[in-house]
Amino acid sequence: MQEERPLKILLMGNPNVGKSVIFSRLTGADAISSNYPGTTVGYTEGSINVLGRSAALIDVPGVYSLDPSSKAEEVANLILDQGADLIVNVVDATNLERNLNLTLELQERGIPMVVALNLWDVAVRKGLEINVGRLSEELGIRVVPTVAASGLGIRDLVEAIESSMASKPPALSLDPGERWQRVGEIVSRVQKVHHRHPSHLERLEDLTIRPWTGIPVALVVLYISFSLIVGAGELFTEKVSDPLFLRYSYWIFSLAGRYTSGFAHDILVGRSPELLESFGLLTTGLYIPFGIVLPFLLPFYLVLGFLEDLGYLPRVSVLMDALMHRLGLHGAAIIPCVLGMGCSVPGVLGLRVLESSKQRFLAATLMTMSIPCASQTAMVFGILAPYGLRYIFAVYATLLTVFIISGMLLHRMIREESPEIFMEIPQYRMPVAGALLKKTFLRIRTFISEAVPYIGIGIVVMNIFEITGLMMSIGELARPVVSGILGLPEEAATALILGFLRKDIGIGMFVPLGLSPEQLVIAAVVLAMYFPCVATLTVLMKELGAYDTIRALIFRLIAAAMVGGMLRVVLL
């Protein structure tokens, strides 16, 4: 007896209409949902039970049309060309006119279809009255109102999928002009707009998109966000991760001393009894990601997820768009940069939202060179605050200047095109706690699965450098540059080498050297610029490849020496 062919259902719609949330509701699969375009770069596949059979449900990248003018539209067309048993078209109920153009395009493919009229609650609050029955008649297919965030209408959507699986779709063949005319006719017949006063969230939408009010609001949001992140990260480190790793260190060093020796012992736990300085795979290799990065990453992802689900980050992208274009980037590049303010590792992973290799290279180089992570920022504040805020300002003003000038130079040096990215600005929506926690969990899991192995590889390489004496030789070679160009004592070379392991520890190593506040400014800027930490470097190699990573390193080494030398002339 021939085995039945597995069913295939495609989930399609415009960007930012809640497709990924509906996907999670239907399948229970681990798909991250975000309130800014660009999250679904490839596609996600799960399974759903339909008519007693298991069907593959594919979350297709969000597109505005089937005209293949972007990577997302190319992928969507490729998936459509492979055939499907049914399409679930997710439509934003607050913007019928824009969404129905894709609906009519999909109907021309002749595949059975169901419309999930999502964001129904938002449409009601905005005073939009949609006659669902009339819309279903106009399209000739089932239409189901849904609220993906709360699960409203999901059961009805499953029933509509089952009842429409074998339906015959209406035959359509329209040119673009006819299609838009048909969309206008449908909207005029099924939708009424009732006047109402704007809500507080809608007033806030206007304030945060205009430069004169949006930029001050962005600065306040940034200050509050990172105060929360740094405070929560330091508290978590002090109360949870450090005590746990202190107990773990006693156990692992004792166990390794009993059962290993020689080279194996040095690779596994290192030579030093200190977790951070041992370079061991089971000591430093675990302490960096779980004891140092994770305490700041967890609150950072919670804050980031809240701002995403609220719909605030795309507004920051718009505010920064003019500046970013001068650097060969798009306003959307600010999102990985914001990630990098918490930790450079997720910032580098976030570069996948950018379209071209040039944009990814530019953003990776500028972000890892000019944007200190949260723990590095905390250390800079700690060592310079006693001398006055002007020294802290000098560090960050220098790094901002480096970000802008380096971006302009690299943009002109690299001749590849920087394609435009069209980003929709969503309405503000209050985040759902369950979805926010799930997203945070999934991102932490992605960090552990993707970054931790590469951090371990980097630690092993650094350990071999230490065992063979190569690290000491590098320090000796660097001393003339450190003293001659930067005006720092020779011992600062060791601190710079340690900064490769972790930037804030490198900054902390400058304190016992008795540097003046001006020298501390030079040291902090050069340490931020000259080389990424080992965790970031390993992830850069994975995301950019060896060639682009080496290009970025050469550029930032030259830039760090030049900027450090100029700061010496100005400050010393």
Side-chain angles (χ1 to χ4, degrees), residues 91 93 96 100 103 107 115-117 120 130-144 182-183 186-187 189-191:
V91 167
L96 273 184
L100 288 181
T103 304
Q107 284 190 295
V115 168
L117 199 58
W120 182 258
I130 300 173
N131 188 327
V132 177
R134 182 66 185 272
L135 179 59
S136 181
E137 291 175 7
E138 292 284 345
L139 296 174
I141 54 178
R142 288 283 300 275
V143 177
V144 180
R182 173 66 179 148
V183 167
I186 294 173
V187 172
R189 292 169 186 166
V190 305
Q191 178 178 277

Side-chain angles (χ1 to χ4, degrees), residues 46-57:
S47 62
I48 179 176
N49 190 37
V50 177
L51 300 173
R53 296 169 57 185
S54 179
L57 181 66

Side-chain angles (χ1 to χ4, degrees), residues 198-421:
S199 65
H200 294 303
L201 278 179
E202 288 170 333
R203 292 191 180 97
L204 189 60
E205 286 175 7
D206 293 336
L207 289 175
T208 51
I209 204 70
R210 297 171 183 164
W212 288 107
T213 51
I215 291 176
V217 169
L219 293 174
V220 171
V221 169
L222 197 63
Y223 174 77
I224 293 173
S225 297
F226 280 93
S227 296
L228 288 172
I229 293 163
V230 172
E234 289 177 342
L235 182 65
F236 191 90
T237 300
E238 180 185 350
K239 300 296 184 182
V240 180
S241 66
D242 276 357
L244 284 176
F245 270 96
L246 183 62
R247 296 181 181 180
Y248 169 77
S249 67
Y250 293 143
W251 175 78
I252 194 66
F253 281 121
S254 174
L255 193 65
R258 191 179 307 166
Y259 294 106
T260 64
S261 61
F263 184 75
H265 179 276
D266 292 344
I267 290 294
L268 290 175
V269 297
R271 296 178 174 183
S272 170
E274 296 294 329
L275 275 175
L276 190 61
E277 300 171 9
S278 66
F279 290 101
L281 183 61
L282 299 180
T283 51
T284 307
L286 293 180
Y287 183 54
I288 286 178
F290 293 105
I292 294 173
V293 176
L294 193 59
F296 289 91
L297 203 58
L298 182 61
F300 182 81
Y301 275 150
L302 284 170
V303 172
L304 176 73
F306 179 87
L307 295 176
E308 282 179 345
D309 291 351
L310 180 66
Y312 180 69
L313 286 186
R315 287 165 171 79
V316 179
S317 299
V318 171
L319 293 173
M320 297 294 294
D321 191 59
L323 171 62
M324 288 299 188
H325 268 88
R326 294 180 179 273
L327 311 183
L329 294 169
H330 182 271
I334 199 65
I335 295 170
C337 291
V338 170
L339 282 168
M341 291 177 184
C343 175
S344 296
V345 171
V348 174
L349 295 175
L351 297 175
R352 297 170 185 175
V353 304
L354 302 179
E355 286 283 330
S356 70
S357 58
K358 174 182 176 178
Q359 289 178 329
R360 289 189 291 273
F361 174 80
L362 287 174
T365 304
L366 299 178
M367 177 188 68
T368 58
M369 180 173 68
S370 308
I371 299 179
C373 65
S375 55
Q376 189 178 352
T377 294
M379 188 62 75
V380 169
F381 273 71
I383 66 170
L384 287 175
Y387 300 104
L389 288 177
R390 66 182 183 276
Y391 293 107
I392 297 175
F393 175 79
V395 171
Y396 287 94
T398 302
L399 291 176
L400 177 61
T401 304
V402 167
F403 185 96
I404 295 171
I405 294 176
S406 297
M408 291 178 175
L409 286 173
L410 288 172
H411 179 36
R412 284 159 177 76
M413 291 166 58
I414 302 172
R415 295 299 181 182
E416 299 173 29
E417 290 187 8
S418 296
E420 182 60 86
I421 304 172

Side-chain angles (χ1 to χ4, degrees), residues 19-39:
K19 274 190 316 89
S20 294
V21 185
I22 287 184
F23 178 86
S24 296
R25 290 284 182 185
L26 291 174
T27 65
D30 296 335
I32 293 178
S33 60
S34 298
N35 201 28
Y36 63 88
T39 298

